Each structure stands twice: as structure tokens, then as C-alpha cells.
Amino acid sequence: MNNTIKPNLFGMDMQELKDVVKQHGFPTFTAKQMVDWLYKKRCNTIDEMTNLSLKVREQLKENYVLEKHAPITSQTSVDGTKKYLFQVDDTNYIESVYIPDRDRATLCISSQKGCKMGCKFCVTGKQGFKGHLTTAEIVNQVFMIPESLNLTNIVYMGMGEPFDNLEAVVKSINILTSEWGVAMSPRRITVSTVGIIPGIREFMERTECHLAVSLHAPYGDTRMSIMPMQKPYPHTEIIRLLKKYDWSGQRRLSFEYIVFKGLNDDEQSIRKLVDILKHLRCRVNLIRFHSSEGVALEGVDDKRMIEIRDYLDAEGIICTIRASRGIDIMAACGLLAGKKKEDNC
Ligand code: SF4
């Protein structure tokens, strides 16, 4: 949330801070000092940057703000998952989901206010698009939850399509993974996309993070019936592109596959899935579908999930069934609504 016209220092990368320093004629080392204060020492005000001269701090305050925002509410699931609600402007809210799991602590973050991709199974998609998040608003989710310092993994799988907001997303990854920033390993960050092809290309060139593609169906017409983005970016084209990259190293490619009863869970679909992913080093995450109001799709039982997993495994495709977390607080995949509730803090 930024009600002022002054630019926010939080969310700027090293180059932007160098530009600030140059513009105001500050000593060149000031950029390094500022970046340290912002992302390593995690200061909350410009006044806290005590190794900057008083004059520099005063000039910074005249021209910039340092704004970060704590979540306004949180809900905790019986399984320990926590959903945080952030207010990003006068009328819009976004959600982030903290998922503790043995030695891992993952934060699922949002990249947009709402989403324009229109996936038929998704609550966020049904709300429509309200705008992009800035880099500051994306990184703010990581910095401002109480568990921030314990995080081991970050997934861009919350509200929005990350590659529809590519510049802000790549910049946020830069802040999270650079030595001058949070210095998190890019192997601990996964970005999920419906398959925006130019976005995949840019992401592959400009970051080293893992990629997850929402596939959800092996046939074009079935995929089209639940994901309108199949039209501009057919899954066959996405897979053709992905086959051009080298996945033999540590960088991981996964496909998300929500299993819907009677739509993509039959023998023929699963055989086709194996067929289209052949010769591509990847894994498949099977996801249970959680019904939501107004969605005429149904999930399958555990038995069928296990049968599909075992079939894929037997065909040499590494496959996991993603544990559903936070269902009771609407924090599971596809259920994020970014709605304010008065009674949930
Ligand atoms: Fe957007 Fe993701 Fe929902 Fe599709 S599943 S509508 S891309 S938020």
C-alpha cells in the first residue's frame, strides 16, 4: 500500500539504489549501506540507517519513503498452516500462505491482485483482475510475516499469474536471491505458471529458480475447457519449448495436475499424460481438487489418486501427491480469495 507519491526504497534493487545515490550525489558506498539496511538488517525506517550521515538520511526522507506493511489478519488451520491477509490499497487485499512441514517452512506468495487467467477451478480466477503487485508488495509478504526468518522455501503459487507481472516478479526474485539481498538459494524458490510462453523464456534466462507449469489436462480440448489460456499458449507448444532446456542439473521442472473426476482421471488421459511428458526430465504433482462454491467440478478419492501416482511412477515419471494443507481456512490451492473477514485475526 503506497498512498504517497514518494518512491518506496523497500523493493528497490541494487541498481535502483545506485541510481538514487547518483541522482542525489551521495557517496557511492551509500548504495551498499542502504541495501544492507533494507534486506539484511531489515530496518523499518530511514532513521534506522545510522551509518548514513544525518544529511543523507534527511535528504532520503524528503524524497523517499520506506514502507512495509504487516498482515492485517491471519487464520490458522488445524494442520498448522497459516493464511495471512495483506491490504495493498484502499479496496484490495492479497493472501499469503505459510506452510510448516517438518524441516521445511514454505511461504506461498501472491503476485497480483486477483487474476485474469480465468481458470475455471480457481476462486481467485473467478474474482477477476484488480491489478499487478509492485516488487515491494511481493517482497513485503516474505518480510512481514512473523515466521519470516524461518522460511526455507518460497513458492509463487498464490493469487495471480507471475508471468503476467514478469518484471516485478523477476525483480523480487533478484532481491530474494542476490548476495546483496536475502541471499536465498534460487533452488528454494519455485514459480508456477499457466504456461505464458514469452514469460517462460524470460524466466529461464533471467533466473535460476524452479519452474512449475499448471498442466491439468493432457488433451487440448479438455485443457481449454478449464483453462482459457490454452488458446494463446497450447500445452503442446509449452512442452515443445520446455524440451529445449537442459533439466539435467539442479533446476527442477514440475507439472501440476489437479485430478478432476470424469475429466482428466481416466486411463486414456493418464496414458496420454505419460506420452506427452516422455523425454522430458520432470516430475508431476498430483493435486486434490477442493470444491468451491459455483464450481461444477469434482475431485477424486484417495484410491484413484494413488492409482494414478503409481501408474506414473511405473512409467518412470517421478510423481507425488501434494498434501492438501489449510483446507479449513480456504488456504489450499485455488482457494485464495483475498477477502477481508472481520472475525479471523
Ligand atoms: Fe490465476 Fe492461478 Fe487461479 Fe489460474 S489458478 S486463475 S492462473 S490464480
Side-chain angles (χ1 to χ4, degrees), residues 312-331:
L312 292 173
D313 268 345
E315 292 290 333
I317 295 179
I318 301 168
C319 179
T320 48
I321 299 174
R322 184 180 300 155
S324 296
R325 300 290 302 264
I327 302 167
D328 53 329
I329 55 165
M330 294 280 284

Side-chain angles (χ1 to χ4, degrees), residues 115 117-119 121-122 124-125 158-161 194:
C115 186
M117 300 299 123
C119 304
F121 46 84
C122 173
T124 312
M159 300 166 71
E161 161 56 50
V194 291

Side-chain angles (χ1 to χ4, degrees), residues 112 114-126 157-162 193-194 214 216 227 334:
Q112 294 181 311
C115 186
K116 53 175 109 137
M117 300 299 123
C119 304
K120 297 283 187 279
F121 46 84
C122 173
V123 172
T124 312
K126 274 205 277 174
M157 294 186 185
M159 300 166 71
E161 161 56 50
T193 178
V194 291
S214 301
H216 307 321
M227 298 178 73

Side-chain angles (χ1 to χ4, degrees), residues 1 8 33 42 53 65-66 72 75 89 97 108 110 132 145 170 189-190 209 218 241 265-266 295 315:
M1 189 168 47
N8 193 357
Q33 289 173 319
R42 297 175 173 235
S53 73
V65 290
L66 198 171
I72 57 165
Q75 286 174 279
D89 54 40
V97 182
C108 175
S110 296
H132 295 298
I145 60 160
V170 167
I189 297 178
T190 302
C209 301
L241 171 67
D265 67 326
D266 56 295
V295 178
E315 292 290 333

